[in-house]
Amino acid sequence: MYSFMGGGLFCAIIGNILIVVSTATGYWMQYCLSGSYAHQGLWRYCMANKCYMQTASIGAPKLYPWSHKMASQITGAVLWFVQAYWNATRAFMILSGMACFAGIMRFSRSFAAGIMLLISTLFVLLAMAINTGVTLSFLGRRFGDWRFSWSYILGWVAMLMTFFAGIFYMCAHRLYESRRVVGSR
């Protein structure tokens, strides 16, 4: 039982560190823009050795040859969508870190810790899925030469670590319950 709890605690601590590093750093995506390389994360993007806070748009919005009213409505909808996507990814990553930390704090209660770590896994999975889907379908088309970067990869590794931590804690709980039932006879 204690080996499962030790393995779960190790995976949870590493997973929480990876969630914090992935959320805080600015290398989720790298791309080439106007001949220079740029990178962006959840909070800011950097181009030509200057960093800017992440706002609703990345680069200048493209105007279409329709009327200005229709173009502004379409541009406004796209900007709202991009802002909502960034906010959702940020929120799920922060919730994941908080749930993982709560699971670490409940390490002596294996069932509660396992549930919190599996909830953390769900949150980081949602954040990574939202980021992947929007990046592939929308942002990837805007930039010709782009790739996911190391902060993004750390997010996926954190998801695996929190998942295995939750599984280890659930196995520890199951083992504890089976020993308790056998010992009461």
Side-chain angles (χ1 to χ4, degrees):
M1 177 179 108
Y2 291 111
S3 62
F4 280 124
M5 288 179 72
L9 183 61
F10 175 76
C11 287
I13 290 171
I14 297 298
N16 202 13
I17 291 169
L18 293 177
I19 288 170
V20 169
V21 170
S22 175
T23 304
T25 55
Y27 285 88
W28 280 58
M29 179 178 167
Q30 291 179 330
Y31 48 91
C32 185
L33 189 64
S34 301
S36 65
Y37 284 97
H39 59 88
Q40 72 184 42
L42 297 179
W43 308 102
R44 65 185 184 150
Y45 64 99
C46 300
M47 296 184 300
N49 296 326
K50 288 185 179 180
C51 294
Y52 308 95
M53 293 301 294
Q54 193 69 270
T55 58
S57 68
I58 301 168
K62 295 179 182 175
L63 291 179
Y64 298 97
W66 307 311
S67 71
H68 286 296
K69 182 179 178 185
M70 182 178 271
S72 66
Q73 288 174 349
I74 291 172
T75 304
V78 168
L79 294 180
W80 176 86
F81 175 73
V82 171
Q83 186 66 32
Y85 136 76
W86 284 118
N87 288 338
T89 304
R90 289 178 195 136
F92 282 127
M93 288 300 284
I94 290 169
L95 287 172
S96 174
M98 291 169 51
C100 187
F101 185 73
I104 292 170
M105 291 294 106
R106 305 287 254 151
F107 74 92
S108 62
R109 298 180 182 210
S110 58
F111 186 74
I115 293 297
M116 290 307 294
L117 291 165
L118 291 176
I119 289 171
S120 174
T121 301
L122 176 67
F123 284 148
V124 77
L125 176 66
L126 287 171
M128 299 308 291
I130 289 169
N131 186 280
T132 302
V134 173
T135 300
L136 290 177
S137 64
F138 179 71
L139 294 176
R141 293 181 183 167
R142 290 185 75 173
F143 308 112
D145 182 22
W146 69 276
R147 65 183 176 140
F148 290 115
S149 193
W150 61 269
S151 296
Y152 173 82
I153 294 166
L154 287 182
W156 282 111
V157 173
M159 187 207 64
L160 290 174
M161 295 302 280
T162 57
F163 175 73
F164 286 122
I167 295 298
F168 285 154
Y169 271 107
M170 293 309 239
C171 288
H173 174 71
R174 179 83 174 175
L175 189 60
Y176 173 75
E177 288 296 317
S178 67
R179 285 185 181 171
R180 192 175 66 130
V181 170
V182 170
S184 65
R185 290 184 193 180

